[in-house]
């Protein structure tokens, strides 16, 4: 962890470069729309694309460093976000970030539909197993079988 003075932001070059690229991407989106209105609606998609993209400096995405696991994305978006962003070429990084934002934005509705289908499938399976007439299968044990034994919890450390 590194502390920098708020009055001297150039002391943290990597963060400043990332901010510069995100600002440039936002400006480019506004120029494409020919309007400065509603720029805030794209920030979330841009941030998602950035957070799930592998950084060339670390070899990991910010999401992966934060949650210690790779982001769960649709295969189309995952393939697009695999190559790292090259911050040494800001113009190319802006283009890459905009493309990633667009692909993630297109892939998310499909992912949402897949999640809803999985939720319905899991709910149906749960209700089939937990119907009023459903009985748990009894497990028969014989002498010599290995079993797990639940130990009672202690209420305090003096017991």
């Amino acid at each position: 962890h590194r502390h920098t003075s708020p009055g001297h932001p150039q002391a943290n070059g990597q963060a400043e470069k990332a901010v510069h690229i995100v600002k440039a991407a936002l400006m480019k989106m506004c120029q494409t729309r020919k309007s400065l209105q509603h720029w805030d609606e794209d920030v979330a998609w841009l941030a998602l694309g950035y957070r799930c993209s592998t950084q060339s400096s670390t070899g990991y995405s910010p999401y992966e460093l934060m949650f210690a696991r790779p982001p769960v994305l649709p295969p189309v978006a995952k393939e697009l976000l695999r190559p790292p962003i090259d911050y040494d070429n800001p113009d190319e990084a802006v283009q890459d970030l905009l493309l990633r934002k667009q692909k993630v934005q297109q892939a998310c509705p499909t992912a949402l539909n897949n999640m809803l289908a999985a939720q319905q499938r899991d709910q149906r399976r749960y209700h089939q197993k937990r119907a009023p007439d459903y009985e748990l299968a009894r497990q028969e044990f014989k002498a010599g079988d290995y079993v797990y034994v639940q130990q009672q919890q202690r209420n305090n450390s003096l017991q």
Side-chain angles (χ1 to χ4, degrees):
H1 187 68
R2 193 169 148 189
H3 297 280
T4 57
S5 166
H8 197 263
Q10 54 269 44
N12 193 351
Q14 287 180 327
E16 286 304 307
K17 192 176 251 188
V19 167
H20 171 74
I21 287 173
V22 170
K23 281 183 178 180
L26 283 171
M27 280 195 306
K28 189 147 187 139
M29 285 188 320
C30 289
Q31 288 172 351
T32 302
R33 273 197 192 137
K34 297 180 180 153
S35 169
L36 293 176
Q37 293 181 333
H38 308 295
W39 63 269
D40 55 327
E41 294 172 0
D42 289 325
V43 172
W45 296 108
L46 194 63
L48 180 64
Y50 175 83
R51 291 177 190 139
C52 294
S53 299
T54 305
Q55 307 298 306
S56 58
S57 59
T58 62
Y60 294 96
S61 68
Y63 180 97
E64 198 167 353
L65 293 174
M66 179 75 164
F67 298 108
R69 59 179 286 179
V72 179
L73 297 168
V76 173
K78 191 178 286 189
E79 285 302 314
L80 177 74
L81 299 176
R82 190 170 306 247
I85 296 175
D86 181 18
Y87 288 109
D88 294 330
N89 185 350
D91 292 333
E92 190 177 305
V94 167
Q95 283 298 107
D96 194 26
L97 196 55
L98 288 172
L99 181 65
R100 290 170 189 238
K101 173 223 149 219
Q102 182 183 7
K103 291 296 183 184
V104 169
Q105 195 172 13
Q106 290 170 353
C108 280
T110 304
L112 179 63
N113 288 338
N114 291 344
M115 282 183 3
L116 290 173
Q119 284 176 346
Q120 288 177 345
R121 182 184 62 238
D122 292 344
Q123 187 178 26
R124 209 172 28 251
R125 186 181 319 127
Y126 176 82
H127 287 300
Q128 284 174 347
K129 290 200 176 248
R130 300 294 179 240
D133 58 340
Y134 176 77
E135 288 186 32
L136 284 173
R138 293 237 175 228
Q139 185 97 21
E140 298 292 326
F141 297 103
K142 295 179 267 174
D145 285 351
Y146 288 101
V147 296
Y148 286 104
V149 177
Q150 183 177 2
Q151 296 180 350
Q152 292 186 359
Q153 284 187 328
R154 299 179 193 180
N155 290 337
N156 61 44
S157 59
L158 299 175
Q159 286 181 333

